[in-house]
Amino acid sequence: MDEPLNRKQSQLQTCIAGLLGMGLMWLAHPPVGFSFLAWIAPLPLLSLVHRNQPLFRRDYVSLWLIGALFWFVALSGIRHAHPMLIPAWIVLAAYLGIYTPLFVGLTRVAWHGWRMPLVVAAPAVWIGLELARGYALSGFNGVMLGHTQANLPWMLQIADLGGTYAVSAVVMFVAAAMAVCLHCRRLSGTELSVVTARRRQVHAILNGSAVLAATLGYGLFRLSEADTVVSPEPMLKVALVQRDVEAVYEYSERRELETARKYFSGSRDAVSADPGVQLVVWPESSYTAAMPWRVLEDDFTVPADAGVTRSEIIAGVRDSQNIFQRRAADIQLGLTAASGRTQPPSLMVGCSVLRYVDGPVQAFSGVVTIDPTGKVPAWYGKRHLVMFGEYIPFANWFPWLYTVTPLQMGVTPGDAPIVADVKGVKVLPSVCFETMVERVTNRHLRQLASEGKPADLVVNVTNDGWFDDSAILEHHRRCSQLVAAAHHTPVLMAANGGPTVSIDSSGRVVGSLPHQDESFLIAAPQQDPRVSFYQRVGDWPARFATLLCIALAISGCRGWRRRKKQLPLPSVESPADPIGDAGSEPPLV
């Protein structure tokens, strides 16, 4: 039996375990990307779960600070966007840091109090917290444990059963099995007989090996299946245009026009290199050029201070639409001349959209689809907005907030996902971090499928130039890979500054451009007829894990309150574990 630790000794051990565990976790993610370290990174944190002595409050505070440090470094690219976002970066890191002590504390309740095997408790708590993180405070799905395996296609295929959560669960299951082996070895000959310890080690090794082998076997089967069922002919030939235009908050008509010229030049180069291009994609906001697409609803009202009549607004919007479409036709005429073909390509472009409704005019960060005749058959308004990037919390009640920040106005969230028909291919447009907050694109794909309009292809337009060549670009790409693998749907990304990438329906990168390169990528996505189990059932398995986390938190708090009432006031050496063990002896594995 280990000697009881005092506060300083406990905190020292906790800090060492936390720094080692979260340090390995950072090395497993971009920019380093040593994916094999993800399998052992949880071990130091799981050693804290195995500790028989309850943790002190300062231990949990230390874990929170270490977790915040991990996120502070992992999301350091935020500082490139604007100096005024540095406080938001710090606050975000502090918030996300909470999940580290929550994982340790809730897993301790499950293992010590509920006597749940560690190989069940650790994965369940981990993915339950990952899902909670994807919804809380508008949601953030980047830097998930499963993303560390994005470059290993045979590991990604299990995502079609449970999304990224399934990949995370497998990695954590194997890590927990290794933790059980190490724990039994430590107890061998003391609290456990040598025979019992070895038997439990063998069981843990067999469990971990079986889950890993099943995952790899399933992945190889799915990859082999894709070779036979995926159409060998491309659905479309798509030109993804990338430029490296400086991203700034301040509006400038001249800058917008220059940006559009750069992307037109890149589009002309693309169709000259491959005249078979049928769709040209420009990144987020790159097409606007001081001329947003305007939409007029039947029930729109004229603001009292507008100074114009209803008929004048209608005429103005109609004129604006005609000018917009004439400009589109001129661009397509230039592309037709460059390609030497008679049929111009369709365009799918990131463009601002203004909608006149019964109330204030709504502004959207949009994707506008332009057919070969220069007409606009469909547009999509971004639904998941970036806090402090596209809106400021509470600014609806305090509009003056926009006067003291670089963000000059807020953006309206879109109504619903759409599918744009391009040459008979059903394309789901998405904007910016809608693929990084995976639940957004996952929900869109499921919703469209349930409405009888399943998407054949996802096209994401984004401006990640805000973050220069930081790790955030790689995190975004990995999220998109998992979306593709989870739904067996190819994903194309056209980005200012990168990542511009073509991802097949198995989550594999089949083409990409270097970050900050000014070039184009010709993508030929292939149709995959498979419908994944994950698309049918959604996040429900992970939601049950989140419910388990809530139950564990309630159980831990009740146990702490019960002990607080029964015990005298704590001395200097007495532990105070608000969500530690629930009172019973822990299972030995």
Side-chain angles (χ1 to χ4, degrees), residues 522-547:
I522 304 298
Q526 299 165 295
Q527 189 167 30
D528 192 331
R530 296 176 294 175
V531 179
S532 70
F533 177 79
Y534 180 65
Q535 183 164 299
R536 292 190 178 98
V537 304
D539 292 330
W540 279 108
R543 291 183 182 184
F544 285 127
T546 302
L547 291 175

Side-chain angles (χ1 to χ4, degrees), residues 497-520:
T500 295
V501 63
S502 173
I503 303 168
D504 72 8
S505 59
S506 296
R508 296 172 291 194
V509 174
V510 294
S512 63
L513 295 178
H515 297 165
Q516 300 181 314
D517 190 25
E518 296 205 340
S519 185
F520 58 86

Side-chain angles (χ1 to χ4, degrees), residues 2-132:
D2 295 335
E3 292 293 327
L5 302 175
N6 60 36
R7 289 180 183 272
K8 290 185 179 180
Q9 292 171 330
S10 178
Q11 187 176 24
L12 177 61
Q13 284 193 8
T14 299
C15 288
I16 292 173
L19 289 170
L20 181 59
M22 300 310 291
L24 291 172
M25 193 73 73
W26 181 79
L27 291 172
H29 284 284
V32 181
F34 290 159
S35 59
F36 65 93
L37 292 179
W39 301 87
I40 61 174
L43 293 180
L45 298 180
L46 293 175
S47 71
L48 298 177
V49 174
H50 271 138
R51 187 193 294 181
N52 285 334
Q53 176 180 320
L55 301 182
F56 294 90
R57 283 194 185 92
R58 63 174 61 184
D59 294 323
Y60 287 109
V61 172
S62 298
L63 287 173
W64 167 59
L65 293 174
I66 292 169
L69 176 62
F70 166 83
W71 287 105
F72 185 78
V73 177
L75 301 181
S76 59
I78 293 176
R79 76 184 192 277
H80 295 284
H82 195 280
M84 290 193 69
L85 286 182
I86 291 177
W89 167 37
I90 297 172
V91 171
L92 178 61
Y95 152 67
L96 293 172
I98 294 172
Y99 290 94
T100 302
L102 277 178
F103 169 70
V104 173
L106 296 180
T107 309
R108 282 180 60 85
V109 175
W111 190 71
H112 288 265
W114 289 25
R115 303 184 63 81
M116 187 181 293
L118 188 67
V119 292
V120 176
V125 172
W126 187 272
I127 66 172
L129 293 176
E130 282 192 337
L131 183 133

Side-chain angles (χ1 to χ4, degrees), residues 469-509:
D469 191 20
S470 69
I472 290 180
L473 278 64
E474 282 300 299
H475 292 312
H476 194 177
R477 174 183 64 81
R478 292 183 178 217
C479 291
S480 298
Q481 286 182 254
L482 268 297
V483 169
H487 294 273
H488 295 308
T489 303
V491 176
L492 305 181
M493 298 181 66
N496 178 51
T500 295
V501 63
S502 173
I503 303 168
D504 72 8
S505 59
S506 296
R508 296 172 291 194
V509 174

